[in-house]
Amino acid sequence: MRLSRYFLPTLKDNPAEAQIASHRLMLRAGLIRQEAAGIYAWLPLGLRVLERIARIVREELDRAGAIELLMPTLQLADLWRESGRYDAYGPEMLRIRDRHERELLYGPTNEEMVTEIVRAGVSSWRELPRNLYQVQWKFRDEQRPRFGVMRGREFLMKDGYSFDLDEAGARRSYQRMFVAYLRTFARLGVKAIPMRAETGPIGGDLSHEFIVLADTGESDVYCDRAVLDLAVPGVEVDYDGDLEALIRAWTSPYAATSDVHDAARYEAEVPEARRLHTRGIEVGQIFYFGTKYSQPMRAQVTMPDGSARLLHGGSYGIGVSRLVGAIIEACHDDAGIAWPDAVAPYAVGLLDLRPGDAATGAACAGLYARLQRAGVGVLFDDTAARAGEKFARMDLIGLPWQLSVGPRGLAQGTVELKRRASDARIELDVDAAIARIAGIPSNGDIP
Amino acid sequence: MRLSRYFLPTLKDNPAEAQIASHRLMLRAGLIRQEAAGIYAWLPLGLRVLERIARIVREELDRAGAIELLMPTLQLADLWRESGRYDAYGPEMLRIRDRHERELLYGPTNEEMVTEIVRAGVSSWRELPRNLYQVQWKFRDEQRPRFGVMRGREFLMKDGYSFDLDEAGARRSYQRMFVAYLRTFARLGVKAIPMRAETGPIGGDLSHEFIVLADTGESDVYCDRAVLDLAVPGVEVDYDGDLEALIRAWTSPYAATSDVHDAARYEAEVPEARRLHTRGIEVGQIFYFGTKYSQPMRAQVTMPDGSARLLHGGSYGIGVSRLVGAIIEACHDDAGIAWPDAVAPYAVGLLDLRPGDAATGAACAGLYARLQRAGVGVLFDDTAARAGEKFARMDLIGLPWQLSVGPRGLAQGTVELKRRASDARIELDVDAAIARIAGIPSNGDIP
């Protein structure tokens, strides 16, 4: 993409309303624009990050056997009356009346609707287990939206739901998602720790939150530092196999949110040097809730002996839009964002340092074409801006590589390649630069 | 995907509420499920079609220089008061109050919001032209939702917006979208005719609807049959070049919706044998509206001489979810859907005709793995259902190819390959079958 034809409205000054780095940087780098309290438009560069995150989420869920569908944003209030949650949900639910005075709501989560879909579509034990997920916009009418996309009102969430014949099956489904989440977050370039957590309005008796440690996080957490060094399961993990040992390794070290924190156990189990009491950002949560929804909604299948069996369920969320903020909290410096390769909107920023110069212009055009042919995402700053302004903008938007073409280097046949995160710079010839950038592992592997 | 692990709730009987083929078939083939009047969940197979359509729409818009962003579904009422449309829009606008009694609405279209975004992000004539689009859910509170996704309330739309310095530039932007739409619909496998149309609530003085001819369509149209034979521009079309001649060729033959039909001109210009008065489905509409939004909203840039210039705009819609229905109206028979290759949810259905048989099972497993490795989307019916039931289900869901593996053919080293649309069948060996299926042009080319 040529910047001269792109839409990248960066801001020079720090927006006064932004209290944390990710909010500030998302506004300044032209990723989002606020359209109402807690409601954002995703500008082109931000949308690319959101889509890259969503793609990795989908790949890992598909690998684990989950199936994607898409439910509407609006739901009938009557559906939530079936489960009893309509009156219980409180003011965070955005309630709507249509022109015929029918009661609708903007879905904050979808346990009821997916249970209705499965109730209608599945009748025999043979058709289970199933795990259905969607990536869809949700709305929670927060009393005080803040921190940009971290606590917005309209937000993009991956929500998944498993349906099994019994508790043992449902716990295996829960384990599959546990493992898929470990892989997903690792591929996204963040360290998310699974922690025992409250079940809240979803209900049930088993839940883990996946939390990225960050001083600006809203979660108060306690854990054993041993959990920070555990190895994430590789791509060879067998979701049809026994995941017990893997889950045990990840759930044995103490890790809990303050809501369920057990100080006595923490102090007994965790040596003082390994105790970590800090803050974090919740980027995912998984729940086992048994028949909480299937019972009131009569979602059941016929067993081999002709009897009816209520479905055992769990649900699994990932905050896709929140992850953009969480990743920035973990990956930035004073100059701006430093995207992990896996979610970067473009892999490389190409800078023409002497716009109008025939030699640098031709060299840049050649590099731009070759990188694109190699399948590398390039944002080419072909504008008339001064070199200093171009460098600052590239540092702000945080593409992993910067490739600068100036007249002096070009006279010696070289360009400068800079790694944004480390600030490491190297002068090299054009072929070597392309080989270096195109060699980035693009997907599947955990960096 | 193995059907034994998929979620494909097909229906045996025709749903009573469905009056047209596409609605009936979408419900029966397990593509959608109604969750409220005019509000549908997209089941896994339907979502795949929706995504394939959206991908082609995006590819052709990107090719034409448009840039994707994503605006929120909810908007502030005050934004629509700036343009004067809030009070004018009528009961189709879903109006909402949040917990703080602020007035919101579920966006039915986005001229105001995108104008606000460009007003904030663009200040100089150097930053124009720009064309921004999104693929996002919209809501129109139809008095009487009907025909399934053809006239739903929550629907997926691609809406794009161009911004230029003057009318001449805006008309070139309009022409680019005109050409991109011709290519998009042709790639989707439907013949969509551009017709002069009313501008309606979007406003402006120039508009074309893109209409797929179909007896069940809601649009009443008049055209010269000559327009049916025009060649769609190829992938080599130069969007930076002069598109006048191309546009003239497509707009010279008479083609108009009944709203703007000029009977005298029609009869004078179109020989009787070429007159076509029929019905059609509107799948896209484009508008030029000049400064209708930029003027009240003060969206302007600074010109080289320091003066302020209002932006000249146009907007461009494609009904992505409606297209699923429109394509089915054009591509079905008594047995079910017959998807065009470009939008088919899977390219091939693989049928094990003797489930439980070791030889057919092994042959199918081998074919399944080889097709997947070749990058071909396969839905493998590995269930215990009888052959007749499997054939009927595959005909209903309409994958372009069916590959059947039975014990008799297998004894002679052959499988049966059937082309769904033509019902042409051929017995061939496994290697030949794979080569035949994998040879389908997958994208970019217009079939």
Side-chain angles (χ1 to χ4, degrees):
Chain A
M1 175 59 64
R2 284 175 181 268
L3 191 54
S4 63
R5 294 174 161 221
Y6 201 46
F7 184 69
L8 180 62
T10 54
L11 305 179
K12 288 227 164 37
D13 301 315
N14 276 323
E17 75 270 27
Q19 300 166 40
I20 63 174
S22 59
H23 188 191
R24 214 152 48 221
L25 289 169
M26 288 184 73
L27 291 168
R28 282 195 54 209
L31 303 181
I32 55 170
R33 177 169 175 78
Q34 181 171 316
E35 294 299 333
I39 300 180
Y40 293 88
W42 291 78
L43 303 182
L45 203 70
L47 177 60
R48 285 180 72 96
V49 177
L50 199 65
E51 288 293 337
R52 291 196 144 238
I53 294 172
R55 188 189 314 166
I56 290 174
V57 168
R58 289 184 169 108
E59 284 175 6
E60 292 302 325
L61 287 169
D62 292 347
R63 205 192 290 276
I67 302 166
E68 187 174 4
L69 47 53
L70 187 63
M71 292 175 269
T73 60
L74 299 193
Q75 308 185 14
L76 284 177
D78 281 345
L79 185 63
W80 285 61
R81 293 202 172 96
E82 283 192 53
S83 70
R85 281 209 294 181
Y86 186 70
D87 294 322
Y89 210 91
E92 285 192 7
M93 177 183 280
L94 187 66
R95 295 158 210 256
I96 302 168
R97 278 175 190 273
D98 72 11
R99 68 191 290 172
H100 299 300
E101 295 294 323
R102 277 174 301 214
E103 292 172 283
L104 300 169
L105 58 95
Y106 199 122
T109 177
N110 282 54
E111 281 79 9
E112 285 80 359
M113 190 178 282
V114 76
T115 299
E116 188 280 328
I117 288 169
V118 169
R119 175 177 71 188
V122 164
S123 57
S124 156
W125 62 274
R126 283 190 194 83
E127 298 165 79
L128 295 185
R130 284 298 180 276
N131 185 322
L132 302 173
Y133 77 94
Q134 67 170 352
V135 178
Q136 177 63 297
W137 294 91
K138 311 280 188 299
F139 200 93
R140 288 187 194 157
D141 202 357
E142 297 276 352
Q143 167 73 13
R144 201 165 69 82
R146 58 193 179 279
F147 305 147
V149 300
M150 302 282 256
R151 190 163 286 277
R153 294 198 292 168
E154 187 170 330
F155 60 99
L156 187 60
M157 186 167 166
K158 185 288 292 185
D159 46 322
Y161 306 89
S162 66
F163 298 91
D164 278 272
L165 288 177
D166 52 30
E167 180 174 340
R171 287 184 184 272
R172 279 193 298 276
S173 292
Y174 185 93
Q175 291 179 343
R176 281 187 204 105
M177 290 299 104
F178 189 107
V179 172
Y181 276 35
L182 291 176
R183 282 191 47 76
T184 300
F185 296 121
R187 279 190 61 195
L188 293 173
V190 292
K191 196 180 264 293
I193 312 294
M195 305 209 177
R196 283 186 308 112
E198 278 276 17
T199 56
I202 305 288
D205 66 355
L206 175 62
S207 181
H208 286 87
E209 286 184 10
F210 287 74
I211 290 179
V212 175
L213 303 185
D215 294 338
T216 49
E218 294 192 88
S219 301
D220 184 32
V221 300
Y222 296 82
C223 75
D224 181 341
R225 287 180 194 275
V227 79
L228 301 175
D229 301 322
L230 292 169
V232 170
V235 67
E236 71 290 345
V237 66
D238 176 13
Y239 285 104
D240 290 332
D242 188 347
L243 302 170
E244 282 284 354
L246 185 49
I247 301 295
R248 204 172 313 118
W250 274 91
T251 52
S252 298
Y254 190 92
T257 62
S258 57
D259 297 334
V260 299
H261 179 54
D262 177 344
R265 213 195 110 194
Y266 181 59
E267 281 158 32
E269 287 182 14
V270 187
E272 204 161 337
R274 293 216 313 255
R275 285 181 204 157
L276 181 60
H277 174 204
T278 185
R279 304 195 68 79
I281 301 162
E282 181 210 329
V283 290
Q285 187 164 9
I286 61 179
F287 304 88
Y288 164 69
F289 49 65
T291 59
K292 176 178 158 76
Y293 298 92
S294 63
Q295 186 149 45
M297 295 182 67
R298 306 308 300 163
Q300 57 193 29
V301 292
T302 306
M303 296 299 285
D305 65 2
S307 65
R309 173 75 63 88
L310 288 174
L311 308 184
H312 284 250
S315 70
Y316 314 95
I318 290 181
V320 177
S321 47
R322 176 183 285 184
L323 266 164
V324 180
I327 292 169
I328 294 174
E329 288 296 327
C331 307
H332 74 276
D333 58 25
D334 289 345
I337 304 165
W339 293 114
D341 291 311
V343 303
Y346 293 91
V348 55
L350 174 63
L351 292 81
D352 183 346
L353 299 184
R354 174 94 43 105
D357 180 89
T360 60
C364 283
L367 273 163
Y368 182 56
R370 286 181 62 185
L371 285 164
Q372 288 190 309
R373 276 200 302 275
V376 176
V378 195
L379 185 64
F380 173 19
D381 189 343
D382 60 343
T383 67
R386 286 172 303 103
E389 193 181 325
K390 290 188 178 188
F391 286 132
R393 179 160 52 204
M394 279 294 169
D395 280 352
L396 174 61
I397 68 172
L399 309 184
W401 299 95
Q402 294 174 17
L403 189 55
S404 301
V405 180
R408 201 167 334 170
L410 213 54
Q412 294 158 26
T414 66
V415 294
E416 187 191 80
L417 183 62
K418 169 177 145 174
R419 183 74 176 157
R420 171 67 181 89
S422 65
D423 202 40
R425 295 148 199 260
I426 180 174
E427 298 274 333
L428 70 188
D429 68 37
V430 165
D431 289 339
I434 288 173
R436 186 75 164 264
I437 296 167
I440 304 163
S442 60
N443 62 6
D445 297 327
I446 291 167
Chain B
M1 176 59 63
R2 284 175 181 268
L3 190 55
S4 64
R5 294 172 161 223
Y6 202 47
F7 184 68
L8 180 62
T10 53
L11 305 179
K12 288 228 164 37
D13 301 315
N14 276 324
E17 75 271 27
Q19 300 166 40
I20 62 173
S22 59
H23 189 193
R24 214 152 50 220
L25 288 170
M26 288 184 74
L27 291 168
R28 282 196 53 209
L31 302 182
I32 54 170
R33 178 169 175 79
Q34 180 171 315
E35 294 298 333
I39 300 180
Y40 294 88
W42 291 77
L43 303 181
L45 203 68
L47 177 60
R48 285 179 73 95
V49 178
L50 199 64
E51 288 293 336
R52 290 196 144 238
I53 293 172
R55 188 188 314 165
I56 289 174
V57 167
R58 289 183 170 108
E59 284 175 6
E60 292 302 326
L61 288 169
D62 293 348
R63 204 192 292 272
I67 302 165
E68 188 173 3
L69 47 53
L70 187 63
M71 292 175 268
T73 60
L74 300 193
Q75 308 185 13
L76 285 177
D78 281 344
L79 185 62
W80 285 62
R81 292 202 173 96
E82 284 193 52
S83 71
R85 283 208 294 181
Y86 186 69
D87 294 323
Y89 211 92
E92 285 193 7
M93 178 184 279
L94 188 66
R95 294 158 210 257
I96 302 169
R97 279 176 188 273
D98 72 11
R99 66 191 290 173
H100 299 300
E101 294 295 322
R102 276 174 302 214
E103 292 171 281
L104 300 169
L105 58 95
Y106 200 122
T109 176
N110 282 54
E111 280 80 9
E112 284 80 0
M113 190 178 282
V114 77
T115 299
E116 188 280 329
I117 288 170
V118 169
R119 174 177 70 187
V122 164
S123 58
S124 157
W125 62 275
R126 284 190 193 82
E127 297 165 78
L128 295 185
R130 284 297 181 276
N131 185 321
L132 302 172
Y133 76 94
Q134 67 171 352
V135 179
Q136 177 63 296
W137 294 91
K138 311 279 187 303
F139 200 91
R140 288 186 193 157
D141 202 358
E142 297 275 353
Q143 168 73 14
R144 201 165 70 83
R146 58 194 180 279
F147 305 146
V149 300
M150 302 281 257
R151 190 163 287 276
R153 295 198 291 167
E154 187 171 331
F155 60 98
L156 187 60
M157 187 168 167
K158 184 288 293 185
D159 46 322
Y161 306 89
S162 65
F163 299 91
D164 278 272
L165 287 177
D166 53 29
E167 180 174 338
R171 287 186 185 270
R172 279 193 297 276
S173 292
Y174 184 93
Q175 291 178 343
R176 282 186 203 103
M177 290 298 104
F178 189 106
V179 172
Y181 276 35
L182 291 176
R183 283 191 47 76
T184 300
F185 296 121
R187 279 190 62 194
L188 292 173
V190 292
K191 197 181 263 292
I193 311 296
M195 305 209 176
R196 283 187 308 112
E198 278 276 17
T199 56
I202 305 288
D205 65 355
L206 175 62
S207 180
H208 285 87
E209 286 184 9
F210 288 74
I211 289 180
V212 175
L213 303 185
D215 295 338
T216 49
E218 295 192 89
S219 301
D220 185 32
V221 300
Y222 295 82
C223 75
D224 180 341
R225 287 179 194 276
V227 79
L228 301 175
D229 300 323
L230 292 170
V232 170
V235 67
E236 71 290 346
V237 66
D238 176 13
Y239 284 104
D240 290 333
D242 188 348
L243 301 170
E244 281 286 354
L246 185 49
I247 301 295
R248 202 171 315 118
W250 274 91
T251 52
S252 298
Y254 189 93
T257 63
S258 57
D259 296 333
V260 298
H261 179 54
D262 177 344
R265 213 196 110 192
Y266 182 59
E267 281 157 33
E269 287 182 14
V270 188
E272 204 161 338
R274 293 214 314 254
R275 286 180 203 156
L276 181 61
H277 175 204
T278 184
R279 304 194 69 79
I281 302 162
E282 180 210 330
V283 290
Q285 187 165 9
I286 62 179
F287 303 88
Y288 164 69
F289 48 66
T291 59
K292 176 178 157 79
Y293 298 93
S294 63
Q295 186 149 46
M297 296 181 68
R298 304 308 299 165
Q300 56 192 29
V301 291
T302 306
M303 296 299 285
D305 66 2
S307 65
R309 173 74 62 89
L310 288 174
L311 307 184
H312 284 250
S315 70
Y316 314 94
I318 290 181
V320 177
S321 48
R322 176 183 286 185
L323 266 164
V324 181
I327 292 170
I328 294 174
E329 287 296 327
C331 308
H332 74 276
D333 58 24
D334 290 344
I337 303 165
W339 293 113
D341 291 311
V343 302
Y346 292 91
V348 56
L350 174 64
L351 292 79
D352 183 345
L353 299 184
R354 174 93 46 106
D357 179 87
T360 61
C364 284
L367 274 163
Y368 182 56
R370 286 182 61 186
L371 285 164
Q372 288 191 309
R373 275 200 302 275
V376 176
V378 196
L379 186 63
F380 173 19
D381 189 343
D382 60 342
T383 67
R386 286 171 303 101
E389 193 180 326
K390 290 188 177 186
F391 287 132
R393 178 160 53 203
M394 279 294 170
D395 281 351
L396 174 63
I397 68 173
L399 308 183
W401 299 94
Q402 294 174 16
L403 188 55
S404 300
V405 180
R408 200 164 336 165
L410 212 54
Q412 293 158 27
T414 65
V415 294
E416 187 190 79
L417 183 62
K418 169 176 144 174
R419 184 74 176 156
R420 171 67 180 87
S422 64
D423 202 41
R425 294 148 198 261
I426 180 175
E427 299 274 333
L428 72 189
D429 68 38
V430 165
D431 289 338
I434 289 173
R436 186 75 163 264
I437 296 167
I440 304 163
S442 60
N443 63 7
D445 296 326
I446 291 167

